Amino acid sequence: MKTKMLLIMATVLINASIKAQVKPGDETSIKQIIQTMQDGWNNKDGNLFASRFTDDCDYVVVNGMFLKTRKVVAEGHQGIFNSIYKETNLELNLRDARYLADDIIIAHVDGRRFGNIFGKYEDAHAIMTFVLQKLNGNWSIAAFQNTEIQQQGQAPPGKK
């Protein structure tokens, strides 16, 4: 019991120190970027969704597909907004963020996509990794990885 309590306390302290490493203004900027992505998804606007990515961004989709450039991310998302994900919504919340350099931040975001897909309700959860780069005084997403969360020991979707 004592070991478990120490582990919980250490986890809380580590999470608090990670959050404390990002300046409040930069944390606000990250949350604005996340909000823009969420708004783009929920308004089914591929250009808005992709607007906070760098022109030459790297984007790894939840299924492992690799996209390159903001234009491709915008077009690809508009395609899914017009089809498979037209009846879904997205919720994003910043989990943690820290500097890798003065102009590079790595952030993790909890995501939830929910709604009807082909007439069936789904509620999927993912963790997203953002690599943000400060360019001309503004933060942008240079690289992004989206990974669906599954229970330990559970087969990935489609692999049962």
Side-chain angles (χ1 to χ4, degrees):
M1 181 67 165
K2 188 175 181 180
T3 303
K4 185 176 180 181
M5 183 61 95
L6 288 172
L7 182 59
I8 290 169
M9 289 173 53
T11 302
V12 168
L13 289 172
I14 289 169
N15 287 336
S17 70
I18 289 171
K19 277 220 177 263
Q21 289 181 7
V22 177
K23 296 173 191 165
D26 291 337
E27 184 173 349
T28 299
S29 294
I30 296 166
K31 288 180 178 179
Q32 289 170 343
I33 289 169
I34 292 166
Q35 186 65 52
T36 299
M37 288 181 68
Q38 180 176 295
D39 291 346
W41 187 287
N42 294 339
N43 291 310
K44 307 305 178 252
D45 184 336
N47 287 322
L48 180 60
F49 179 86
S51 66
R52 300 303 300 267
F53 287 82
T54 61
D55 287 339
D56 63 344
C57 69
D58 298 320
Y59 189 113
V60 179
V61 182
V62 71
N63 65 3
M65 185 185 304
F66 178 73
L67 306 177
K68 185 87 173 143
T69 77
R70 178 179 352 148
K71 182 178 186 283
V72 171
V73 171
E75 290 171 353
H77 279 80
Q78 194 60 58
I80 63 174
F81 296 155
N82 293 340
S83 59
I84 186 172
Y85 292 133
K86 67 183 173 186
E87 296 180 27
T88 65
N89 285 302
L90 187 67
E91 290 177 357
L92 301 174
N93 293 291
L94 180 63
R95 177 185 284 204
D96 61 46
R98 64 186 171 91
Y99 295 100
L100 297 179
D102 291 342
D103 60 348
I104 303 288
I105 290 176
I106 187 167
H108 295 98
V109 173
D110 294 313
R112 177 180 174 235
R113 179 191 36 82
F114 57 98
N116 290 319
I117 300 175
F118 299 122
K120 182 181 174 193
Y121 184 82
E122 286 189 11
D123 193 342
H125 297 261
I127 184 160
M128 302 162 189
T129 302
F130 289 65
V131 177
L132 299 129
Q133 182 178 14
K134 197 168 200 174
L135 300 166
N136 302 318
N138 296 309
W139 290 101
S140 298
I141 306 165
F144 176 89
Q145 167 96 33
N146 187 11
T147 305
E148 189 171 343
I149 297 171
Q150 56 190 345
Q151 299 299 322
Q152 188 169 350
Q154 178 184 347
K159 302 289 182 186
K160 294 179 182 179

